[in-house]
Amino acid sequence: MNVISIQSQVAFGHVGNSAAIFPMQMHGIDVIAVPTTLLSNRPGYPTIRGRVLDAELLADLLCGIEERGAVASAQMILSGYLGSADNAAVVADFVARAKAKNPALLYCCDPVLGDRDRGLFVHTDIPPLVRDLLCPLADIITPNHFEFEWLSGAKAATIDQVIKASRAFMARGTVVVTSAELADTPEGEIETLAVERANAFRVRTPKLPISPNGTGDLFAALLVAKRVSGADTPDALSHAASAIFAVLERTAARGTEEMRVVESAEWLVHPPRKFECIAIGP
């Protein structure tokens, strides 16, 4: 099983590919990792070194893996943090070309744009390109609640609103909304919802008193790992929610800023507590 993962890479910590590669490898997936940035660490520390890759270099790397047969052998492309508008265009061109060459290839777009605490944290020219170029190519998109409302242009405070906005925004495939807090979400819990054309599902987990960077990157990797392994949407959603809760619970217990991803290796595949999905909506 092969996945092409196109996102940021850091030397220190766990965000982007540095959060996604190991969990997918633990599921037996060969990850072809292509960086969009090379940074010493994520933003938020007193210093940061490195840079966003030039679009020409990113395009060259993607061309190189095509020449090695990566497109023909892959089951899924996963994209995350892009770093620049030019990189967004390069990734969109690559995905379109790859899907034309390999019609069975699926594409998961994790639109790393912002969150409810900070708003948009990428350059303002990136979100429209993610919405207009990348999302139409996607079979799966995994926005957080804030990103979903921005992309869909619709308020989504109830289950019915999430379902309606998801199906209007993405006529095919699966929309997975993470970190959702809806009108009927119980106090002290947080939700993840998956909406398809004919079905919708939700899973709730306890809300932990931490919010480390990279949780969306880790979630998308776990979801992709299960889908590539043959799981259907509710099983993949339940697994991803359960595994990431296990990682975050251990991170909270350790009191560290970075997620305890490697330390939680076994739990990435066999989380100790399983949160079941329930079917919802029309």
Side-chain angles (χ1 to χ4, degrees):
M1 298 181 291
N2 294 344
V3 170
I4 300 170
S5 182
I6 311 167
Q7 47 188 318
S8 60
Q9 183 174 324
V10 295
F12 178 92
H14 296 287
V15 298
N17 267 334
S18 302
I21 295 170
F22 180 68
M24 288 192 282
Q25 289 173 332
M26 285 297 298
H27 286 80
I29 294 168
D30 190 3
V31 184
I32 301 155
V34 180
T36 57
T37 72
L38 287 173
L39 300 171
S40 57
N41 48 266
R42 61 170 172 80
Y45 285 100
T47 61
I48 187 169
R49 308 288 180 174
R51 63 183 178 88
V52 176
L53 265 63
D54 296 335
E56 293 80 7
L57 176 54
L58 176 60
D60 207 32
L61 293 173
L62 292 170
C63 181
I65 67 167
E66 278 186 87
E67 291 170 346
R68 301 286 74 76
V71 167
S73 65
Q75 286 75 48
M76 182 88 73
I77 298 172
L78 168 63
S79 72
Y81 184 81
L82 300 166
S84 71
D86 288 343
N87 282 350
V90 167
V91 172
D93 181 68
F94 171 75
V95 172
R97 194 167 67 245
K99 287 173 75 74
K101 289 182 178 178
N102 179 0
L105 184 63
L106 299 177
Y107 170 45
C108 176
C109 175
D110 182 19
V112 183
L113 305 176
D115 56 40
R116 66 168 60 91
D117 295 327
R118 293 172 288 176
L120 291 173
F121 53 58
V122 297
H123 293 297
T124 56
D125 52 354
I126 294 175
L129 294 179
V130 171
R131 179 191 62 206
D132 300 336
L133 295 183
L134 291 173
C135 288
L137 294 168
D139 301 282
I140 305 167
I141 61 170
T142 59
N144 62 38
H145 197 171
F146 169 84
E147 292 163 340
F148 174 70
E149 291 188 329
W150 193 96
L151 289 167
S152 66
K155 186 68 176 174
T158 68
I159 284 291
D160 288 345
Q161 288 174 339
V162 171
I163 292 173
K164 181 179 179 181
S166 295
R167 290 174 177 162
F169 178 68
M170 193 171 180
R172 61 175 182 80
T174 307
V175 178
V176 181
V177 182
T178 64
S179 302
E181 295 184 68
L182 305 176
D184 64 341
T185 304
E187 185 74 20
E189 296 193 350
I190 199 159
E191 305 206 51
T192 307
L193 305 104
V195 181
E196 300 173 324
R197 175 49 51 191
N199 303 292
F201 309 91
R202 77 195 303 179
V203 60
R204 291 172 174 164
T205 57
K207 193 174 182 181
L208 294 166
I210 59 169
S211 185
N213 290 77
T215 56
D217 307 326
L218 176 58
F219 176 88
L222 291 164
L223 185 81
V224 163
K226 288 300 285 186
R227 286 296 299 268
V228 167
S229 300
D232 60 12
T233 295
D235 186 33
L237 182 63
S238 174
H239 173 77
S242 301
I244 198 167
F245 179 82
V247 173
L248 294 180
E249 192 172 42
R250 174 166 275 172
T251 303
R254 295 288 188 266
T256 58
E257 286 193 51
E258 298 291 341
M259 292 186 294
R260 311 308 297 173
V261 176
V262 176
E263 187 178 328
S264 305
E266 183 179 352
W267 292 355
L268 296 170
V269 183
H270 302 292
R273 181 178 176 187
K274 186 172 183 180
F275 297 93
E276 298 290 349
C277 278
I278 59 170
I280 53 172

